[in-house]
Amino acid sequence: MGFKFQGVDFLHLDSCFTADELLIRKTTREYVEDKLIPVIEADFREGRFPRELVASMGEMGFYGANLEGYGCAGISNVEYGLVMQELERGDSGLRSFVSVQSALVMYPIYTFGSDEQKQQWLPSLAAGEKLGCFGLTEPGFGSNPAGMTTTARKCGEEYILNGEKMWITSGSIADLAIIWAKVPEEGKSAQEAQVRGFLVETNLPGFSTRDIHGKWSLRASITSTLTLENVHIPATNLLPGTAGLKSPLMCLNQARYGISWGAIGAAMSCYDTALQYAGLREQFHGQPIASHQLVQEKLVWMISEISKAQLLSLHVGRLKDAGTVGHEHISMAKRNNVAMALETARMARDILGANGVTEDYPIMRHMMNLESVNTYEGTHDIHTLILGQKITGIAAF
Ligand code: TGC
Ligand code: FAD
């Protein structure tokens, strides 16, 4: 069941996109329609990541698409955003997989890595031959990663890593983990230890993973705990450009930017489903429910908020392409658009009545996914505080 997606462009925003941007959106939309939509409900129900799509997404050029060289597509940030929008119109889990591979694994290698590290890893990550994960969060440190307890101790020509990372997307299928750890120094306290990033191959002795089961959200995505017990890595696996918490936060900016577009995709799917359903479903006097004022009010709220979110992400994307975006702009887009998408999903579910709670329609799946999206990459409230700090000058964390 379900409806064929019609696209959502109330404000004629397509006139603001270039021909290339529209082409990239079209080909990604067709990919999602062809490859993901037919399998996603079953995969979500079974808690299965559609791994068979990994290679074809590499061929499509989705991984690290807004990076230049090393086999990456080299598209603009707006084009990359449209890819994220279309993927998440299918499912947040697939967008999350591509986000992690691109923004949280390839971006740090591209930005902080040595030439050798880039040559070694980026082409195979771009092709999807190698998979990566990003280990920042720990069991005791989610919103406050500065408190992390994972350490990397320098010992001759090696670092030895110890610690635990939790809630790590793609953890157990990754060939490579980007691990953020504190590097203790002689004569300095643990608090003074600097956070740095490391390339950790997941087949090394002492590295193990355990998948987290029982999620009612992002069921088509793998989430794992990573344990590092005396993992020895060559000193050359340090990402040399990393220096302090700012480095992983720079990676989060890339991922949060993509999420701001992805959330629009999920909202578009919910709105479009509700609109089509409301035109067909009849109640009272043989009239479609779309003829009732209260139903129209919900649809109008949704299309207004989606249109505002589209404008916000497009503008932030243009700023990012111009090199003038601030991380607070990205926080505003992530915070606003995910909250908007969650509310849209809830209203759309309401319009479908009882049918809305079934897997015959994508709405409930999007709603459950968006609960995670609201929490990861900085919770809604953490982004409130980031924005509050920016406008008042006072940190209220
Ligand atoms: P604070 O003292 O504010 O900042 C430390 C240094 O970093 C700078 N900075 C940033 N730089 C770049 N981008 C940003 N977004 C930045 N935010 C801050 C800051 O200027 C400072 O620089 P410097 O030169 O003075 O050293 O740090 P804090 O410890 O007070 O923390 C601030 C806070 C709370 C905003 C930060 O910790 C935070 O964002 N927490 C949320 C954690 C989070 O988002 N985790 C995400 C984990 S990954 C994930 O969820 C993947 S989900 C899968 C998917 O993406 O699909
Ligand atoms: P907490 O930090 O414990 O927050 C709980 C509540 O307290 C929230 O409402 C929060 O807003 C509030 N709160 C916290 N501090 C404050 C404050 N100062 N003021 C007001 N309110 C506050 N992490 C990775 O590193 N890599 C990944 O790949 C990754 N993938 C994920 C995939 C999924 C499906 C999920 C659910 C999470 C993933 N995460 C990942 C972890 C994610 O980034 C964290 O869940 C997130 O940062 C929040 O941390 P927490 O869950 O520990 O919540």
Side-chain angles (χ1 to χ4, degrees):
M1 235 188 277
F3 300 107
K4 175 105 176 90
F5 181 60
Q6 309 178 122
V8 179
D9 183 20
F10 182 80
L11 287 178
H12 299 181
L13 278 173
D14 280 5
S15 63
C16 301
F17 292 121
T18 65
D20 280 351
E21 287 163 354
L22 291 173
L23 182 63
I24 284 170
R25 187 183 69 185
K26 177 172 176 285
T27 52
T28 310
R29 188 170 293 179
E30 286 167 358
Y31 177 88
V32 167
E33 206 57 43
D34 190 34
K35 305 271 194 234
L36 182 65
I37 299 298
V39 299
I40 188 57
E41 294 300 343
D43 281 349
F44 188 88
R45 186 190 332 119
E46 307 304 330
R48 181 183 169 277
F49 168 64
R51 194 164 181 172
E52 68 279 4
L53 301 188
V54 167
S56 58
M57 289 197 289
E59 285 159 21
M60 292 293 291
F62 292 161
Y63 307 131
N66 57 349
L67 306 177
E68 296 278 349
Y70 307 98
C72 302
I75 62 177
S76 72
N77 286 295
V78 169
E79 290 165 338
Y80 176 78
L82 288 166
V83 170
M84 295 292 124
Q85 172 187 288
E86 294 305 316
L87 291 177
E88 196 148 357
R89 202 269 300 175
D91 190 75
S92 303
L94 202 71
R95 196 273 307 138
S96 210
F97 171 78
V98 176
S99 279
V100 168
Q101 180 90 349
S102 304
L104 299 181
V105 177
M106 295 175 70
Y107 171 84
I109 297 172
Y110 186 87
T111 307
F112 306 120
S114 65
D115 285 345
E116 294 73 32
Q117 290 169 340
K118 292 181 206 181
Q119 294 293 352
Q120 183 186 353
W121 287 105
L122 290 177
S124 52
L125 288 162
E129 291 157 7
K130 297 282 183 195
L131 304 183
C133 69
F134 178 88
L136 180 66
T137 305
E138 298 186 358
F141 300 95
S143 296
N144 178 27
M148 72 173 68
T149 58
T150 298
T151 54
R153 288 178 192 281
K154 184 94 190 286
C155 196
E157 289 310 302
E158 290 185 328
Y159 282 96
I160 304 172
L161 278 77
N162 280 286
E164 189 165 61
K165 298 289 178 182
M166 198 174 177
W167 299 109
I168 306 306
T169 302
S170 305
S172 63
I173 55 169
D175 303 287
L176 175 70
I178 305 286
I179 296 292
W180 299 94
K182 286 184 175 164
V183 181
E185 278 182 59
E186 202 70 37
K188 287 195 177 167
S189 69
Q191 262 107 358
E192 289 172 299
Q194 197 180 41
V195 171
R196 304 203 71 182
F198 296 87
L199 300 174
V200 180
E201 289 177 68
T202 57
N203 59 2
L204 289 173
F207 186 99
S208 61
T209 66
R210 207 170 56 252
D211 282 346
I212 297 170
H213 295 291
K215 286 178 295 162
W216 289 114
S217 179
L218 285 183
R219 290 183 57 73
S221 166
I222 292 167
T223 318
S224 320
T225 297
L226 315 180
T227 304
L228 297 108
E229 272 177 344
N230 290 321
V231 179
H232 290 240
I233 59 168
T236 49
N237 282 20
L238 166 73
L239 285 168
T242 56
L245 193 65
K246 192 180 177 75
S247 304
L249 293 176
M250 285 168 66
C251 304
L252 299 187
N253 295 338
Q254 311 308 310
R256 291 166 177 175
Y257 167 73
I259 288 171
S260 86
W261 283 91
I264 297 171
M268 284 168 135
S269 170
C270 295
Y271 166 77
D272 184 58
T273 302
L275 180 64
Q276 295 198 49
Y277 185 91
L280 293 175
R281 172 75 175 168
E282 292 180 358
Q283 286 297 290
F284 293 96
H285 328 299
Q287 294 295 314
I289 57 171
S291 68
H292 299 299
Q293 292 176 355
L294 291 174
V295 173
Q296 289 190 4
E297 196 278 336
K298 292 186 180 84
L299 292 168
V300 169
W301 187 91
M302 290 184 225
I303 191 62
S304 304
E305 292 304 317
I306 290 171
S307 301
K308 289 190 262 178
Q310 288 171 323
L311 283 167
L312 180 54
S313 278
L314 177 57
H315 183 65
V316 169
R318 297 273 184 242
L319 291 181
K320 197 167 186 310
D321 278 328
T324 53
V325 78
H327 67 80
E328 298 89 355
H329 301 139
I330 294 173
S331 281
M332 179 179 278
K334 192 272 183 185
R335 176 181 181 275
N336 179 79
N337 293 7
V338 178
M340 173 285 291
L342 250 180
E343 195 53 28
T344 295
R346 290 175 184 142
M347 280 190 186
R349 209 292 305 153
D350 179 82
I351 289 177
L352 267 74
N355 278 323
V357 306
T358 70
E359 64 175 16
D360 292 342
Y361 299 92
I363 297 174
M364 196 81 189
R365 176 170 52 79
H366 282 306
M367 192 197 298
M368 292 192 282
N369 282 339
L370 288 163
E371 288 292 342
S372 284
V373 182
N374 203 43
T375 284
Y376 67 34
E377 287 290 354
T379 67
H380 182 83
D381 287 346
I382 288 297
H383 288 293
T384 306
L385 299 178
I386 291 171
L387 290 165
Q389 180 179 15
K390 175 66 180 173
I391 59 178
T392 65
I394 303 167
F397 297 104

